[in-house]
Amino acid sequence: MPKSKRNRPVTLSKTKKKPGLERKGKVVAEIKDAVDKYSSAYVFTYDNMRNQKLKDLREQLKSSSRIFLAGKKVMQIALGRSPADEAKTGLHKLSKFLQGNSGLLFTNLPRDDVERMFREFEEHDFARTGSTAIDTVELKEGPLEQFTHEMEPFLRKQGLPVRLNKGVVELVADHVVCEEGKPLSPEAAQTLRLLGIQMATFRLYLVCRWSGDDFEVYKEGLMHLGADESS
């Protein structure tokens, strides 16, 4: 006779917490710690995020600052969403700006240094599939001497009308790789990379700043945050 599942013992002490909840709890604790450790907090937004570039920036700032890119609700909970639950007076004002592509910067750097750093930060990279082309790229009929003959089959797979002519890759007709203002196809993104054409720029924009009793909003960053929300 089969055993009843209802009679199986359940050891509650072995029940584990979900890893996701533990991670979120850790982030909340780290943000609360940063509130006490640093004198100012900023919400920032960004275009064309590049993880390695952000990692480099974190390393550059680690002696004076801390950057958080986590779930928006998690960061809001850590800061507080109202005067009743905010970590420090006025800090809840940052929470409503944590939307779209946004993160937190805690720092002891002077405001002028932070503003200059964000204004000057610019890292160029190759655009990815789906990104909007910032220029029209057209290849003219004729030899493509930058490519070896071994590349000819691969170039054909990217949609380029090519052939081998005496061992030289040759474009048999003019070819538009991408058009300004239109999204890049996988083939276009790969071709631009092969051509060495970088169309993506990783930029950061300050949205708002909190420091004790002082709070301000940056119009340019707010515009970019709004653009992220509408896209």
Side-chain angles (χ1 to χ4, degrees):
M1 185 174 180
K3 294 181 179 180
S4 171
K5 292 182 179 180
R6 290 180 295 176
N7 295 329
R8 291 178 183 175
V10 177
T11 306
L12 296 177
S13 60
K14 291 185 179 180
T15 303
K16 295 182 179 180
K17 292 182 179 179
K18 294 182 179 180
L21 291 176
E22 290 182 349
R23 284 195 299 270
K24 290 176 182 178
K26 183 181 178 183
V27 172
V28 169
E30 289 177 349
I31 290 176
K32 287 182 177 294
D33 181 62
V35 169
D36 293 328
K37 184 176 180 180
Y38 299 101
S39 60
S40 301
Y42 295 79
V43 171
F44 65 89
T45 187
Y46 52 85
D47 289 336
N48 300 305
M49 170 59 70
R50 295 296 185 265
N51 291 332
Q52 184 56 51
K53 303 295 186 183
L54 183 67
K55 183 179 178 181
D56 294 342
L57 181 63
R58 277 186 163 126
E59 183 65 22
Q60 176 188 332
L61 295 174
K62 69 178 183 180
S63 64
S64 64
S65 311
R66 180 81 187 269
I67 293 174
F68 290 92
L69 277 178
K72 307 304 177 290
K73 289 184 179 179
V74 173
M75 293 190 288
Q76 289 171 348
I77 289 170
L79 295 174
R81 295 174 174 173
S82 69
D85 62 3
E86 62 187 4
K88 281 191 176 180
T89 302
L91 202 58
H92 78 279
K93 295 177 182 178
L94 296 176
S95 288
K96 74 174 184 178
F97 294 100
L98 287 168
Q99 52 185 281
N101 295 330
S102 59
L104 283 170
L105 168 71
F106 290 91
T107 184
N108 287 323
L109 291 173
R111 181 180 65 180
D112 290 347
D113 290 355
V114 175
E115 291 175 352
R116 181 173 61 254
M117 177 182 67
F118 272 70
R119 188 168 55 247
E120 296 175 354
F121 185 88
E122 188 175 272
E123 295 285 350
H124 299 285
D125 200 357
F126 296 105
R128 296 170 178 168
T129 300
S131 299
T132 302
I134 61 172
D135 199 2
T136 296
V137 175
E138 182 177 5
L139 300 176
K140 296 297 184 181
E141 177 184 350
L144 298 174
E145 296 179 352
Q146 66 267 51
F147 300 119
T148 61
H149 68 277
E150 293 94 343
M151 291 288 293
E152 189 264 345
F154 183 74
L155 293 172
R156 247 187 296 120
K157 287 183 179 179
Q158 307 313 309
L160 274 69
V162 293
R163 68 180 179 185
L164 282 178
N165 185 2
K166 297 179 180 179
V168 177
V169 178
E170 183 179 71
L171 200 65
V172 299
D174 293 350
H175 177 71
V176 176
V177 177
C178 62
E179 293 183 60
E180 182 180 357
K182 293 186 177 181
L184 295 177
S185 67
E187 295 77 16
Q190 182 62 54
T191 301
L192 290 173
R193 182 178 288 271
L194 292 172
L195 293 169
I197 299 174
Q198 295 183 329
M199 283 197 178
T201 304
F202 175 29
R203 290 191 178 94
L204 299 172
Y205 306 93
L206 293 173
V207 176
C208 57
R209 179 183 69 88
W210 169 91
S211 182
D213 295 330
D214 194 14
F215 181 81
E216 68 175 308
V217 176
Y218 297 89
K219 290 182 180 180
E220 182 182 8
L222 194 59
M223 288 173 59
H224 282 274
L225 187 66
D228 291 335
E229 280 294 281
S230 62
S231 59

